[in-house]
């Protein structure tokens, strides 16, 4: 029985750590309705500034905290002024993409400055331990709890009783109305970003001290857990974020207690999905509260798509089709094969995210389902590879739609968060369901691509195969978009209330979109499995999902040609920047930011 | 990248792109050009630290090789392509290396998904893929162009089990392992060996690489009531587990796999890693001349920094590559055949490395039983902790 006390305490301790990130995220979401994916990067920057202060400058703790808070706040202000403010009148999704780009840039800058080696960040507090239950807690645990609770409380008071706080809340409820009443919305945003960044920086430093370890990979994990905690508590709700974090910590701890360590994150993400489905506004939203997302589809603003004449597309397709006949290196062909595979994934995502408005952040899971199905069909049941890939596509269409169906009742950002969680769940199930997926060992010896009994092993034949499959999928999708079905999809995206009033069944149409999209993604995953010959649970990871979304936004949401163009660009750019060695991801991030800044509707515009 | 100037590299990459499918397999005959090895590994992304460590080991080995006159008078150099340990990028890099006639063999990648996805391309392209950290049991099954000096876990884990069970006398073990292909394979070999030596496995817990909080896992461990903890971890997670184990009040003996062998383990773990036992392939006061040369050279080159396990792997790998190229010349097939011919290459990890032609791996890693004493790795003196 005493173990349960220990599990509870441990859950609260780690929840405490999550709370520090979640509060900053909640604050920013509360005002700008933006999930700030750069919050984890500010946390990272704070940790390294803390390291410089403690290890190089030997500052005492109170001074360290002030230095880190001020420096992180400055970073936050710079992000707000130059990264986000120029985007405030553009599509709602542009700032989201911008924060992803900013986090690339910040993470890379830290990595280049400090090297990716982990560093020790010694705690400056006396090393006394208090016995609680079977374990001990130290002064740092109390300090983290103190900072988390105090900041949540201060923010609560600030938002409720101060004039600037009122302005913040007014701006979050109705930006235009607030501006009409003379609220300087930019100043409000600045204040919020400054505070959130200061908090993020200090939390990175404290967590670094807590584990005596900081490294450049800590940023994405911090963001993921922070987002989960924040949404569980109710996006934009500061005290809710703290309680959500503690709850998340407890669920993880009890999950470990009952099922074992490897199931830990599974429970975190299941909690998120359950909360989203049952209480989409979070556990602590009052029933009367206006839904935090707008009722109609302003998330994806319409824009005029660039019309590319048919003959130009035909010429381009023919050009790519005959490319291998010219003396191009296999390296170029392989890079384009990657682009075609990513293009299929992007077709899938641009349909569900762009055309019907369900912005998915878990699309890599569909690749994984397709890949594992195809690999296992061909290895275990000796199904010919061509059929196995189609099997992967079908399985992905069915299973993917089924898994995502709970999120059909959600809107806007919440769909993204739910799909992010579903993606993580799929990856963790693959890791743990060893009897089928062979767990972490992965599946090796997957037979190469083959068609009608002929192995496709030369890069040229794989190139033609993947290009042909992608073109067929693209043509089908183009046909779909011009049909009655495509118009219904767009109607649901643009105004789901009106669409429902008109008699469209939302769930049925969303399912249809996911079935078609799931098929394309599953095919892509299936081909990849046979191309790589080895896959495991890490082959299709969260970064792939984020990359796919970037492709889709870059190309123009819902835009079939745009998805393919985006895939070629985002596979090609990092390869072109190879010459820059370690700097290439930094350059890639900057290019991404510039694209979002000057072409937020995507290269070819929303369709 | 540091061994050839950037302009040659730029020209080379452009040439490789333009060269087209009609390339010649024969390497360039001009002796002034360096013999070029391709390296595919992470320089950015979540595994970037390991790529950086590889470079340190490579550069040190190359300095020594050059000082000894190079490869029959020619310079040896490498071209490091960043894969982020991502299979999509490692396959593109594989095509790039295969179609670049200057590359005579390839080293890497780091993770199994990235390495093994590229294997079919290297195999079909007839370029050796020399994976020196690839412990996945199926890696060398990719074909006769896949060779590895990674210590087979089938070799290493029984040594660790013997240390824990026979020498330290632990009878009831809790095994914490990274839930990756490496950690999982290692765990299975460890558990098998430990049971053979008569120990009982109380509990095994797999954790994902990004995990930082182990307190609840350690409560499970405590409730299983073991007399020893086995860490199949890398140094950063190993240090975290050790710290948190002491915080939750576990006082059992801890015994770790050689992958924690790094000065960072002590830096990150602090007092909590005091008395942690670990089996390693070499140790600082090792009297073997190759180890002394490696450690002294490393400290001299990198401002007194202590080398760690990954530095040693890459240092050994570059020396092995040089030995192979000395025999095989610059023909890719001759290089593959040379792997079967090299004998007793001086190695930090193996002492003398010779490939087992059947498995295309090296057997018989050295073994040293260390313990952390007063913040230093020291040879275990047989005294209980």
């Amino acid at each position: 029985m005493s173990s349960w006390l220990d599990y509870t305490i441990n859950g609260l301790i780690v929840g405490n750590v999550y709370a520090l990130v979640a509060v900053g995220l909640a604050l920013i979401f509360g005002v700008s309705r933006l999930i700030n994916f750069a919050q984890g990067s500010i946390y990272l920057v704070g940790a390294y500034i803390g390291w410089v202060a403690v290890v190089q400058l030997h500052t005492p703790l109170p001074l360290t905290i002030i230095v880190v808070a001020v420096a992180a706040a400055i970073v936050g202000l710079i992000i707000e002024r130059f990264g986000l403010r120029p985007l405030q009148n553009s599509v709602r999704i542009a700032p989201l993409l911008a924060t992803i780009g900013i986090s690339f840039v910040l993470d890379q800058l830290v990595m280049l400055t400090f090297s990716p080696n982990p560093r020790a960040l010694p705690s400056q507090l006396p090393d006394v331990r208090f016995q609680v239950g079977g374990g001990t807690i130290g002064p740092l645990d109390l300090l983290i709890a103190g900072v988390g609770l105090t900041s949540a409380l201060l923010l609560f008071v600030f938002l409720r009783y101060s004039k600037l706080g009122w302005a913040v809340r007014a701006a979050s409820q109705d930006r235009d109305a607030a501006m009409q009443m003379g609220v300087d919305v930019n100043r409000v945003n600045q204040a919020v970003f400054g505070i959130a960044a200061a908090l993020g920086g200090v939390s990175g430093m404290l967590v670094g001290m807590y584990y005596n370890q900081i490294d450049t990979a800590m940023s994405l994990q911090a963001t993921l857990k922070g987002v989960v905690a924040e949404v569980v508590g109710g996006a934009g709700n500061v005290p809710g974020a703290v309680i959500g974090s503690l709850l998340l910590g407890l669920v993880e701890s009890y999950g470990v207690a009952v099922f074992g360590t490897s199931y830990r994150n599974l429970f975190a993400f299941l909690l998120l999905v359950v909360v989203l489905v049952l209480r989409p506004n979070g556990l602590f939203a009052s029933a009367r509260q206006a839904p935090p997302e707008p009722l109609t589809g302003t998330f994806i603003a319409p824009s005029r798509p660039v019309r590319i004449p048919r003959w130009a597309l035909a010429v381009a397709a023919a050009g790519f089709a005959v490319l291998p006949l010219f003396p191009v290196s296999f390296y170029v062909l392989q890079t384009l094969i990657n682009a075609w595979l990513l293009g299929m994934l992007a077709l899938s995502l641009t349909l569900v995210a762009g055309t019907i408005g369900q912005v998915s952040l878990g699309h890599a899971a569909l690749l994984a389902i397709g890949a594992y199905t195809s690999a296992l069909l061909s290895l275990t049941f000796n199904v010919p590879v061509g059929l196995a890939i189609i099997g992967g596509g079908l399985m992905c269409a069915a299973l993917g739609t089924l898994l995502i169906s709970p999120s059909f009742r959600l809107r806007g950002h919440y769909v993204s968060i739910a799909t992010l969680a579903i993606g993580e769940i799929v990856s963790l199930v693959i890791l743990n369901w060893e009897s089928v997926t062979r767990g972490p060992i992965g599946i090796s010896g997957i037979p190469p691509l083959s068609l009608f009994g002929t192995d496709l092993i030369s890069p040229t034949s794989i190139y033609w195969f993947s290009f042909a499959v992608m073109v067929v999928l693209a043509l089908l999708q183009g046909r779909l978009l011009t049909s009655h079905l495509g118009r219904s999809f767009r109607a649901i995206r643009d105004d789901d209330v009106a669409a429902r009033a008109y008699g469209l069944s939302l769930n049925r149409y969303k399912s249809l979109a996911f079935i078609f999209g799931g098929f394309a993604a599953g095919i892509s995953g299936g081909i990849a499995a046979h191309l790589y010959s080895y896959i495991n649970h890490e082959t299709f990871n969260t970064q792939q999902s984020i990359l796919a979304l970037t492709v889709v936004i870059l190309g123009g949401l819902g835009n079939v040609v745009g998805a393919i163009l985006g895939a070629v660009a985002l596979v090609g750019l990092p390869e072109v920047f190879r010459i820059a060695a370690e700097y290439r991801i930094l350059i890639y991030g900057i290019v991404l930011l510039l694209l979002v800044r000057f072409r937020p509707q995507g290269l070819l515009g929303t369709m | 990248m540091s061994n050839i100037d950037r302009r040659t590299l730029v020209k080379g990459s452009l040439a490789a792109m333009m060269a087209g499918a009609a390339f010649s397999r024969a390497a360039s005959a001009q002796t002034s050009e360096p013999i070029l090895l391709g390296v595919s590994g992470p320089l950015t992304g979540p595994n970037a630290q390991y790529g950086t460590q590889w470079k340190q080991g490579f550069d040190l080995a190359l300095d020594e090789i050059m000082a000894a006159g190079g490869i029959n008078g020619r310079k040896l150099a490498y071209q490091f392509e960043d894969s982020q340990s991502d299979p999509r990028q490692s396959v593109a890099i594989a095509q790039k290396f295969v179609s670049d006639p200057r590359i005579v063999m390839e080293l890497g990648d780091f993770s199994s998904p990235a390495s093994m996805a590229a294997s079919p391309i290297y195999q079909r392209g007839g370029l050796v893929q020399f994976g020196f950290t690839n412990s996945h049991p199926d890696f060398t099954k990719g074909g006769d162009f896949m060779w590895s000096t990674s210590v087979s876990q089938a070799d290493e884990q029984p040594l660790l089990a013997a240390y824990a069970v026979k020498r330290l006398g632990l009878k009831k073990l809790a095994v914490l392992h990274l839930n990756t292909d490496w950690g999982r394979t290692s765990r299975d070999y460890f558990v098998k060996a430990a049971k053979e030596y008569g120990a009982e496995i109380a509990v095994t817990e797999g954790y994902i690489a990004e995990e930082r909080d182990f307190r609840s896992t350690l409560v499970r461990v405590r409730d299983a009531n073991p007399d020893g903890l086995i860490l199949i971890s890398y140094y950063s997670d190993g240090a975290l587990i050790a710290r948190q184990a002491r915080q939750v009040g576990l006082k059992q003996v801890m015994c770790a796999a050689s992958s924690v062998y790094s000065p960072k383990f002590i830096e990150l773990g602090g007092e909590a890693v005091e008395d942690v036992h670990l089996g390693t392939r070499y140790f600082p006061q090792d009297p073997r001349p190759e180890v002394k040369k490696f450690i002294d050279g490393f400290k001299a080159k990198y401002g007194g920094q202590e080398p760690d396990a990954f530095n040693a792997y890459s240092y050994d790998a570059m020396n092995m590559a040089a030995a192979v190229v000395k025999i095989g010349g610059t023909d890719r097939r001759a290089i593959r055949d040379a792997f079967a011919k090299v004998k007793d290459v001086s190695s930090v990890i193996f002492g003398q490395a010779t490939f087992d032609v059947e498995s295309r791996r090296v057997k018989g890693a050295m073994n040293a039983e260390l313990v952390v004493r007063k913040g230093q790795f020291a040879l275990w003196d047989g005294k209980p902790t």
Side-chain angles (χ1 to χ4, degrees):
Chain A
M1 213 49 226
S2 72
S3 300
W4 287 98
L5 176 64
D6 290 336
Y7 286 121
T8 308
I9 293 166
N10 294 337
L12 293 175
I13 287 176
V14 72
N16 217 353
V17 168
Y18 297 152
L20 288 176
V21 183
V23 167
L25 281 167
L27 193 61
I28 291 178
F29 191 91
V31 180
S32 33
R33 293 281 175 261
L34 169 70
I35 292 176
N36 180 16
F37 275 90
Q39 189 72 10
S41 303
I42 295 173
Y43 171 91
L44 179 70
V45 170
Y48 276 86
I49 294 172
W51 181 84
V52 171
V54 172
V55 178
Q56 307 276 350
L57 308 175
H58 308 289
T59 52
L61 185 64
L63 187 58
T64 314
I65 291 181
I66 293 171
V67 167
V68 170
V70 170
I74 293 172
V75 175
L77 291 178
I78 294 174
I79 292 177
E80 194 278 327
R81 178 66 191 83
F82 298 102
L84 299 175
R85 197 182 301 174
L87 297 174
Q88 63 188 2
N89 291 321
S90 68
V91 223
R92 292 270 317 280
I93 200 152
L96 181 78
L97 190 58
T99 60
I100 294 178
I102 290 166
S103 83
F104 273 162
V105 172
L106 284 180
D107 288 1
Q108 287 303 314
L109 283 176
V110 171
M111 189 181 279
L112 290 168
T113 318
F114 293 96
S115 100
N117 262 321
R119 281 160 199 263
L121 179 56
S123 161
Q124 294 176 303
L125 288 168
D127 192 22
V128 274
R129 311 283 318 171
F130 312 103
Q131 188 77 27
V132 178
T136 60
I137 61 171
L140 207 48
D141 291 309
L142 301 177
L143 180 63
I144 289 176
V147 170
L149 289 175
T150 321
S151 55
L153 194 68
L154 281 179
L155 285 172
F156 186 74
V157 171
F158 163 74
L159 289 174
R160 184 135 297 201
Y161 299 106
S162 79
K163 209 150 191 195
L164 187 58
W166 295 349
V168 169
R169 281 162 58 214
S172 86
Q173 276 176 8
D174 190 331
R175 199 168 152 268
D176 294 331
M179 276 163 78
Q180 282 164 356
M181 297 308 291
V183 172
D184 184 348
V185 175
N186 284 337
R187 209 175 120 241
V188 168
N189 264 337
Q190 259 176 359
V192 164
F193 260 86
I195 296 170
L199 195 59
V202 171
S203 53
M205 181 203 76
L206 289 176
V207 174
M209 285 185 177
Y210 180 69
Y211 291 123
N212 189 35
Q213 186 166 335
I214 55 175
D215 65 59
T216 45
M218 64 199 268
S219 127
L220 180 65
Q221 285 305 309
T223 311
L224 277 182
K225 288 287 168 73
V227 166
V228 174
E230 186 222 351
V231 175
V232 166
N237 179 339
V238 171
V242 175
I243 299 173
S245 306
L246 296 178
L247 192 64
L248 175 64
L250 285 176
V251 167
E252 285 186 5
S253 187
Y254 293 144
V256 170
V258 179
F259 294 96
T261 310
S262 60
Y263 291 90
R264 171 188 191 131
N265 283 356
L266 196 57
F267 288 97
F269 291 111
L270 279 176
L271 170 75
L272 179 65
V273 173
V274 169
V275 168
L276 277 178
V277 169
L278 298 181
R279 296 204 56 134
N281 286 346
L283 288 177
F284 304 101
S286 72
R288 285 176 295 121
Q289 187 178 323
E293 288 293 331
L295 282 171
T296 51
T298 48
F299 195 58
I300 295 156
S303 72
R304 193 180 306 164
V306 178
R307 289 264 166 229
I308 300 175
R310 255 160 210 259
W311 63 264
L313 288 177
V315 167
F320 277 114
V322 298
L323 185 70
L325 302 177
F326 293 91
V328 289
S329 76
F330 285 171
Y331 165 56
V332 172
L333 290 187
Q334 185 70 47
T335 305
L336 283 170
I337 293 170
N338 289 349
W340 306 146
L341 291 179
L342 183 61
M344 291 176 217
L345 181 68
L347 283 176
S348 159
L349 186 57
T350 208
L351 181 69
V352 299
T355 309
I356 201 161
Q358 306 286 299
V359 177
S360 157
L361 265 175
H363 240 57
L366 297 177
L367 285 180
I369 294 174
Y372 270 89
T373 309
S374 186
L376 291 172
L377 279 177
S378 60
L379 270 176
T380 320
F381 300 103
N382 293 319
V383 176
V385 171
L387 285 179
I389 291 175
I390 294 175
L394 293 174
M395 173 63 96
C396 188
L399 195 58
T401 310
L402 190 71
L403 286 172
I404 285 166
S405 59
S407 75
F408 283 168
R409 49 181 300 203
L410 304 175
R411 288 202 178 94
H413 277 108
Y414 291 90
V415 180
S416 315
I417 304 298
T419 47
L420 179 79
I422 293 165
E424 295 292 318
I425 289 170
V426 168
S427 157
L428 289 162
V429 167
I430 289 174
L431 178 63
N432 284 301
W433 193 9
E434 295 195 2
S435 56
V436 172
T437 61
R438 306 184 196 173
I441 304 286
I443 301 177
S444 58
I446 303 169
L449 287 172
S450 75
L451 208 55
F452 308 120
T454 326
D455 280 355
L456 306 178
I457 49 175
S458 76
T460 319
S461 54
I462 299 173
Y463 175 90
W464 272 322
F465 177 72
S466 49
F467 183 64
V469 172
M470 185 196 68
V471 168
V472 169
L473 287 171
L475 288 174
L476 281 176
Q477 190 159 325
R479 181 74 192 80
L480 183 79
L481 291 187
T482 53
S483 74
H484 155 76
L485 208 53
R487 283 194 298 280
S488 307
F489 286 167
R490 285 193 294 272
I492 291 170
R493 171 190 74 190
D494 291 339
D495 192 333
D496 64 352
V497 177
R500 202 159 44 186
Y502 191 69
L504 295 180
S505 158
L506 300 189
N507 285 356
R508 198 171 299 166
Y509 281 97
K510 285 179 183 174
S511 302
L512 280 173
F514 271 98
I515 287 171
F516 190 89
F519 183 73
I523 295 275
S524 172
I527 296 176
H530 295 280
L531 189 65
Y532 298 157
S533 83
Y534 172 77
I535 52 172
N536 75 1
H537 66 287
E538 290 170 325
T539 309
F540 307 101
N541 52 20
T542 319
Q543 274 103 322
Q544 288 308 306
S545 300
I546 295 175
L547 177 67
L549 185 62
T550 322
V551 166
V552 166
I553 299 172
L554 181 66
L557 282 156
N559 196 317
V560 170
V561 182
I564 295 167
L565 183 69
V568 173
L570 290 199
V571 170
L573 286 180
E575 293 295 329
V576 172
F577 297 144
R578 275 205 177 280
I579 286 167
E582 287 96 327
Y583 296 90
R584 72 192 180 106
I585 302 301
L586 179 65
I587 299 175
Y588 170 72
I590 293 171
V591 170
L592 200 63
L593 278 179
L594 291 175
L595 280 168
V596 178
R597 169 73 183 80
F598 294 106
R599 193 104 189 125
Q601 72 274 47
L603 291 173
L604 298 185
T606 308
M607 193 82 109
Chain B
M1 205 70 74
S2 46
N3 282 276
I4 40 175
D5 66 306
R6 197 138 287 181
R7 196 186 290 161
T8 351
L9 183 61
V10 174
K11 273 198 301 197
S13 316
L14 289 177
M17 280 186 216
M18 303 297 170
F23 62 86
S24 132
R25 279 247 166 73
S28 84
Q30 291 148 318
T31 44
S32 59
E33 290 280 302
I35 298 175
L36 200 56
L37 310 171
V39 180
S40 165
L43 287 178
T44 59
N47 292 321
Q49 46 179 310
Y50 302 108
T52 331
Q53 287 169 320
W54 284 8
K55 273 186 154 184
Q56 292 180 321
F58 288 154
D59 291 343
L60 174 63
L62 283 178
D63 285 354
E64 294 175 8
I65 292 162
M66 289 318 297
I71 309 291
N72 309 326
R74 279 181 71 180
K75 221 179 139 191
L76 186 65
Y78 66 88
Q79 176 177 333
F80 202 129
E81 293 291 355
D82 173 28
S83 67
Q84 300 190 300
S85 275
D86 171 7
R88 285 151 212 84
Q89 301 185 47
S90 70
V91 294
I93 294 169
Q95 292 291 8
K96 183 174 190 164
F97 285 155
V98 166
S99 47
D100 183 344
R102 298 170 308 144
I103 305 281
V104 300
M105 67 186 271
E106 187 268 350
L107 286 82
D109 203 285
F110 177 74
S111 74
S112 292
S115 311
M116 290 164 70
S119 295
I121 294 171
Y122 289 116
Q123 178 66 23
R124 286 170 207 145
L127 180 65
V128 163
Q129 182 185 24
F130 177 27
F132 57 95
T133 55
N134 297 96
S135 63
H136 195 291
D138 291 344
F139 172 74
T140 54
K141 292 179 189 158
D144 59 349
F145 280 87
M146 276 76 238
W147 296 79
S148 177
T149 47
S150 168
V151 179
S152 162
Q153 294 310 308
D155 280 354
E156 166 165 356
Q157 294 305 327
L159 294 172
L160 184 65
Y163 188 13
V165 180
K166 286 184 169 170
R167 309 256 289 137
L168 292 167
L170 304 175
K171 287 286 166 255
K172 195 174 174 192
L173 303 172
V175 182
L176 285 92
H177 65 95
L178 257 176
N179 211 357
T180 60
D181 56 290
W182 169 80
R184 188 48 205 277
T185 317
S186 304
R187 182 200 86 178
D188 291 346
Y189 283 120
F190 179 88
V191 166
K192 186 164 166 277
K195 280 185 179 158
E196 274 171 22
Y197 299 144
E200 180 194 342
I201 305 296
V203 63
T204 72
E205 292 287 327
Y207 60 89
I208 58 169
E210 294 85 13
E211 197 59 80
R212 289 177 163 251
D213 171 66
F214 296 95
R215 293 181 65 122
S216 297
T217 303
L218 289 163
V219 175
R220 267 179 89 87
V221 167
R222 184 195 71 197
D223 290 351
N225 202 19
D227 57 7
L229 266 63
I230 307 297
L231 312 183
I232 297 179
S233 310
Y234 287 174
Y235 51 79
S236 51
D237 33 311
L240 285 172
I241 296 175
R243 280 177 68 87
Q244 292 174 32
R246 298 310 181 216
Q247 283 176 7
V248 303
L250 291 180
K251 299 198 168 51
Q252 281 91 336
V253 176
M254 282 191 265
C255 209
S258 66
S259 39
V260 305
Y261 181 59
S262 164
K264 286 275 174 197
F265 182 62
I266 293 175
E267 184 190 337
L268 300 173
E271 284 175 14
V273 298
E274 191 70 15
D275 295 332
V276 171
H277 295 262
L278 64 158
T280 61
R281 312 284 75 89
Y282 70 95
F283 62 100
Q285 300 81 25
D286 207 324
R288 288 190 284 139
E290 61 273 11
V291 175
K292 242 183 107 45
K293 185 172 148 200
F294 167 60
I295 294 177
D296 293 347
F298 195 92
K299 281 185 174 167
K301 188 169 167 76
Y302 299 109
Q305 190 192 333
E306 290 268 356
D308 71 6
F310 285 95
N311 294 134
Y313 296 149
S314 61
Y315 172 83
D316 266 8
M318 188 53 77
N319 282 325
M320 177 58 82
V324 167
V325 173
K326 262 184 193 152
I327 296 181
T330 55
D331 180 72
R332 290 177 174 183
R333 277 175 190 279
I335 284 182
R336 175 198 59 185
D337 299 337
F339 269 89
K341 291 178 196 150
V342 284
K343 288 263 177 307
D344 300 332
V345 179
S346 159
S347 155
V348 173
I349 304 295
F350 296 98
Q352 309 276 307
T354 305
F355 280 94
D356 169 49
V357 182
E358 216 35 49
S359 64
R360 292 187 286 281
R361 287 185 181 275
V362 181
K363 287 201 173 122
M366 304 298 286
N367 191 36
E369 292 173 344
L370 304 192
V371 64
V372 181
R373 284 276 155 81
K374 301 196 180 87
Q376 299 281 330
F377 290 110
L379 205 58
W380 186 50
D381 48 14
K383 284 184 198 145
T385 44

